[in-house]
Amino acid sequence: MNKLLMHPAAKPVIFLLCLLPFAQLAYGAFTGGLGANPAEFLIRATGDWTLRFICIVLAVTPLRVTTKWNALVRFRRMLGLFTYFYVVLHLLCYSWFDMGFDWSEIAKDIPKRPFILVGFSAFVLLTALAATSFNRAIKAMGAKRWQMLHKLVYVIAGLGLLHFFWMRAGKNDFAEVFVYAAIIAVLLGWRVWHYASKRKQKPVVGARGGEKPLRST
């Protein structure tokens, strides 16, 4: 699988697959295939795909570690930028269809409605990650600070889930919310377990300078 993932055609294929939801939405918009309320459909669909891409990004490391498909790391930046692409589309659809690009009303609406404030906060954090996703930013910030900043993806996942929960609370429809919550909980739970396992396996220095393994508690 690593050999397949390292093939020169792998990145273009993944790129096209990531664009497929956008192509489907654009086709539906031009052909009238988005139902009775196309504006609402586009707002919700772009939000759904943002949350899905967050889950995909979070799944890269667990999948890479458990399967030894180390070449997956090649696609993490692209997947992260596509997450930002879909959240920008989501914000544009809200600004256009809900607010008519009335920026003063948008500025008033964001703090007034909690689920929009939470979603906008996630957008701001994603903007910071997208703006620093390039090699020059890593060199300028230093690897350690860059890694600390990009751990905000966990906060973004929580904010995105909360935004989705509050949005669905109005219709008392939480089925999809629970699905995403379960996926994110598993992906974050795996990280906690993996970190704890690595700490248990890490040797400690004994009184005479020798090393001995940590005892599990």
Side-chain angles (χ1 to χ4, degrees):
M1 179 59 83
N2 276 313
K3 188 175 180 180
L4 184 62
L5 292 171
M6 289 298 294
H7 193 280
K11 274 195 173 182
V13 168
I14 297 297
F15 185 89
L16 290 174
L17 287 174
C18 291
L19 269 181
L20 190 58
F22 171 72
Q24 290 177 324
L25 291 174
Y27 179 78
F30 282 113
T31 60
L34 299 182
N37 192 339
E40 182 180 358
F41 187 94
L42 285 170
I43 293 170
R44 298 211 170 179
T46 51
D48 288 345
W49 277 109
T50 301
L51 198 50
R52 288 166 191 163
F53 270 94
I54 289 173
C55 292
I56 292 169
V57 169
L58 290 176
V60 169
T61 296
L63 190 59
R64 178 179 61 82
V65 172
T66 55
T67 63
K68 308 299 182 186
W69 297 345
N70 295 322
L72 282 171
V73 75
R74 298 179 64 222
F75 308 102
R76 186 162 52 193
R77 182 184 301 179
M78 183 196 302
L79 293 169
L81 289 173
F82 265 107
T83 305
Y84 188 66
F85 172 70
Y86 282 104
V87 79
V88 168
L89 287 179
H90 183 56
L91 182 62
L92 282 174
C93 287
Y94 155 75
S95 302
W96 183 8
F97 300 129
D98 264 9
M99 308 303 292
F101 288 130
D102 187 333
W103 302 112
S104 61
E105 286 301 312
I106 291 171
K108 294 176 185 176
D109 195 44
I110 288 172
K112 187 169 64 178
R113 293 199 279 177
F115 83 95
I116 294 180
L117 178 60
V118 167
F120 187 75
S121 300
F123 167 75
V124 170
L125 295 180
L126 270 170
T127 300
L129 300 197
T132 57
S133 64
F134 304 98
N135 292 335
R136 286 187 180 180
I138 299 172
K139 289 179 180 178
M141 295 178 64
K144 191 172 182 179
R145 282 186 294 178
W146 184 87
Q147 287 174 354
M148 288 297 296
L149 175 66
H150 280 251
K151 288 185 186 298
L152 285 174
V153 68
Y154 308 137
V155 178
I156 291 166
L159 290 174
L161 192 60
L162 181 59
H163 171 72
F164 192 43
F165 171 82
W166 262 337
M167 188 192 71
R168 287 298 178 92
K171 294 186 176 181
N172 199 30
D173 180 10
F174 300 109
E176 284 186 81
V177 178
F178 292 146
V179 172
Y180 285 112
I183 292 170
I184 290 172
V186 168
L187 294 173
L188 297 186
W190 179 90
R191 281 169 166 78
V192 173
W193 170 83
H194 184 64
Y195 176 75
S197 299
K198 285 172 66 176
R199 293 219 13 145
K200 284 183 180 181
Q201 294 170 6
K202 196 173 183 180
V204 295
V205 178
R208 297 182 180 179
E211 289 186 348
K212 58 183 180 180
L214 284 172
R215 293 181 181 178
S216 58
T217 56

